[in-house]
Amino acid sequence: MQTLLGRIFSGAAVAAIFATGALAHHGWSWAEADQIEQRGIIREIYIGPPHPTLDVETASDGLWRIELANHNQTTRAGFIEGSAKEGDEIVALGNRSTDPQEKRMKAVRISVAGKTYDLYPERIKTQ
């Protein structure tokens, strides 16, 4: 039978593992420093934790995964369920994955149907 101290230690170890994974996932180290713009058509929308995502088909480069800010921050930016629908045109500004084989971007700003949503205003680099 496991002691109380053993259970507490085991629980703390499991929590530390999940916290480390969450920090790695939520950081920007996987993304390039330079920002790019992607234009395309929304093919799929996911609004929910940990990050809302948009699958966007571009004319020249196929399907891209566009990650938005965490759910609460995306909502504060005004992008909520119903703000966009499949088939809408989108312009996304953000940082692409450092893996050139991965068509994935962390958006700092998106524009849909004439409305702009600044997800990470402090990270937007004007060209």
Side-chain angles (χ1 to χ4, degrees):
M1 188 163 143
Q2 199 175 28
T3 67
L4 177 60
L5 186 57
R7 281 185 268 167
I8 291 172
F9 179 75
S10 295
V14 169
I17 289 168
F18 283 113
T20 302
L23 287 174
H25 172 76
H26 290 92
W28 289 79
S29 63
W30 62 270
E32 292 181 353
D34 292 335
Q35 292 180 344
I36 63 169
E37 188 176 272
Q38 287 292 356
R39 294 174 178 271
I41 305 295
I42 298 173
R43 296 299 179 208
E44 190 172 326
I45 300 172
Y46 168 74
I47 301 292
H51 293 276
T53 58
L54 305 171
D55 288 342
V56 175
E57 186 176 353
T58 67
S60 62
D61 203 18
L63 197 63
W64 277 71
R65 168 65 51 98
I66 309 294
E67 289 187 11
L68 307 182
N70 70 57
H71 187 262
N72 290 334
Q73 191 167 339
T74 297
T75 299
R76 281 194 303 273
F79 192 81
I80 58 172
E81 195 154 349
S83 295
K85 63 186 181 315
E86 292 175 8
D88 282 349
E89 291 185 28
I90 182 173
V91 178
L93 174 69
N95 304 75
R96 76 165 293 159
S97 171
T98 56
D99 178 352
Q101 301 302 311
E102 185 176 41
K103 295 179 184 176
R104 180 174 156 215
M105 169 199 277
K106 182 71 168 185
V108 295
R109 170 185 282 162
I110 59 171
S111 297
V112 180
K115 182 152 172 67
T116 298
Y117 304 93
D118 289 339
L119 306 165
Y120 292 99
E122 71 284 358
R123 288 187 167 270
I124 296 171
K125 297 178 185 175
T126 56
Q127 273 101 12

